[in-house]
Amino acid sequence: MKLITAERIHNGHEWLPTGATIEVADDGTIAAVHNSPIEGAVRYDGVLAPGFVNVHCHLELSHMRGVVPERTGLIPFLKSIPQYRNDFTEEQKTEARHRAYHHMLNNGIVAVGDIANTADTTDVRALGKMHFHTFVEALGFTPQNADRAFEYALMVYAAYAAQHGSDTLLRQSITPHAPYSVSDALFCLIDRHLPAAPISIHNQESEEENRFYTTGEGLVCELLQMMGIDHSSFRPTGKPSLESYLQWMSKEHPFIFVHNTSSTEGDVRFAHTYAPYVHWCLCPNANLYIEGRLPDIDMLIREGANLCIGTDSLASNHQLCVLSELCTIKTHFPHLGWETLLQWGTANGAAALQMQDVVGTLAPGTRPGMIQIRGLETRPSVTRII
């Protein structure tokens, strides 16, 4: 057993009393949490906390770092991804993916919700140093092609389902990409595949998404036309996108709504009324990279939203670092305290990925990894110590 203490310790939910000591087994399992000093404990500078949880990431796009210019807006950004993502060799993609994976490890991330359109990231999952929930995205906005789109997603899903981790959790589910890229028929097929599986969806990342659902007009139409997608059968609902597409999904799913840049009080209240288990994932650095704006985080807090943190991809971010995301939030919302922010980056993220029994908290029986954060109030840096 190791005894560890620090100037301050955050257990994933709150600060522990000054002098608290953590008892850790050799395999990283938390054996006990003592709220008082114990002689012989190793003392660390700064803050100790559970390892970070990155709820939303696209590791398979790591080779696109710096390819898309900043602040183009969402629709031009989305046009660029299929245009450039295959302008690389398989060796370049693999090297970038592995580099990004180790970058996350070095930034104290112990678990990730990874978004996959291909089976590419089976290789980094197999490294066994990070917990994964892989969200296999289904895409297809033409109802007539829903079966074919779902069959492809099933094929990718099977590649991930064939993997079994020994020291790490390896889980997967099929999920819709976004409201503007999935037809009602495809939503229903996803819903029926695993009725209680976690769903992660890009939600209200732009005003154009809501405009498309309320009026059937705007830049989303241009995006679909550019990609050769027939959307003539789409009928606007006259309602925001979130209220529109949730009707095609079972309330039993744990939902992770990602980005939420254009979500309103009404959207949040509708989601909380509709489904009992909802998390709202913030990717602030990606929001600034793509659109130059952030969600209304104060509103989300007022509405009782369970907030967690993602990095999105290196196509829309300069780094894959949860601490960097928290620092960005702190810069734009300075009234938010680190006790709250660290909870979003640890315990809340673990709960969103259904991994709260393993990571996210310094609680007996968990194996959350431990990180040391120096300079939290000035220039934070993170080191993984377990």
Side-chain angles (χ1 to χ4, degrees), residues 68-368:
V68 183
E70 295 186 46
R71 302 202 175 195
T72 61
L74 179 64
I75 303 306
F77 175 83
L78 292 172
K79 290 179 180 178
S80 298
I81 297 299
Q83 183 178 355
Y84 297 117
R85 72 177 294 171
N86 293 319
D87 290 350
F88 298 82
T89 66
E90 288 304 314
E91 290 77 12
Q92 288 173 319
K93 292 179 182 179
T94 299
E95 181 183 353
R97 191 165 61 244
H98 281 253
R99 186 166 57 246
Y101 172 85
H102 286 97
H103 179 61
M104 286 204 296
L105 283 174
N106 291 336
N107 285 327
I109 294 170
V110 298
V112 62
D114 190 40
I115 309 301
N117 302 122
T118 69
D120 287 355
T121 55
T122 52
D123 58 356
V124 289
R125 284 183 19 138
L127 296 177
K129 296 180 180 179
M130 189 181 299
H131 305 290
F132 272 77
H133 188 110
T134 300
F135 293 99
V136 177
E137 281 186 337
L139 296 97
F141 199 70
T142 305
Q144 295 83 353
N145 295 334
D147 287 336
R148 185 172 63 186
F150 189 68
E151 285 299 321
Y152 176 78
L154 276 176
M155 180 182 68
V156 176
Y157 171 86
Y160 289 104
Q163 287 187 303
H164 301 283
S166 54
D167 294 328
T168 55
L169 299 176
L170 298 180
R171 297 172 178 170
Q172 51 281 320
S173 57
I174 297 178
T175 201
H177 166 255
Y180 49 80
S181 61
V182 176
S183 66
D184 54 352
L186 186 52
F187 265 109
C188 292
L189 289 172
I190 295 167
D191 179 59
R192 292 197 295 267
H193 177 237
L194 292 171
I199 294 291
S200 175
I201 181 169
H202 297 82
N203 178 68
Q204 296 175 315
E205 194 174 353
S206 167
E207 296 287 358
E208 290 296 327
E209 180 183 312
N210 284 327
R211 182 184 178 193
F212 181 62
Y213 266 84
T214 54
T215 69
E217 302 173 345
L219 294 179
V220 170
C221 294
E222 294 182 18
L223 172 67
L224 296 174
Q225 290 167 0
M226 186 274 295
M227 299 181 71
I229 297 172
D230 178 13
H231 63 282
S232 60
S233 61
F234 175 74
R235 296 293 177 266
T237 64
K239 301 176 181 178
S241 64
L242 186 145
E243 188 173 345
S244 301
Y245 70 75
L246 273 184
Q247 65 180 313
W248 303 315
M249 304 292 295
S250 166
K251 301 177 182 181
E252 302 306 312
H253 293 288
F255 287 97
I256 303 171
F257 301 120
V258 182
H259 293 302
N260 317 300
T261 318
S262 301
S263 298
T264 66
E265 291 180 354
D267 296 318
V268 178
R269 290 173 184 174
F270 180 86
H272 289 174
T273 301
Y274 184 85
Y277 201 77
V278 170
H279 280 83
W280 304 82
C281 183
L282 307 175
C283 304
N285 287 336
N287 298 147
L288 293 174
Y289 190 108
I290 296 172
E291 294 240 319
R293 56 177 296 198
L294 295 174
D296 188 346
I297 295 177
D298 285 332
M299 177 275 293
L300 290 166
I301 293 171
R302 287 196 306 271
E303 294 300 321
N306 291 319
L307 298 176
C308 54
I309 303 297
T311 63
D312 214 359
S313 74
L314 286 175
S316 60
N317 206 331
H318 298 288
Q319 57 189 324
L320 304 181
C321 177
V322 169
L323 181 59
S324 175
E325 305 294 329
L326 297 178
C327 289
T328 295
I329 295 173
K330 181 68 172 172
T331 297
H332 289 83
F333 299 85
H335 55 282
L336 295 177
W338 279 107
E339 183 173 54
T340 296
L341 294 173
L342 289 173
Q343 180 180 0
W344 297 354
T346 57
N348 284 14
L353 296 181
Q354 308 290 291
M355 295 182 182
Q356 62 270 30
D357 292 339
V358 179
V359 297
T361 59
L362 300 180
T366 63
R367 292 180 60 189

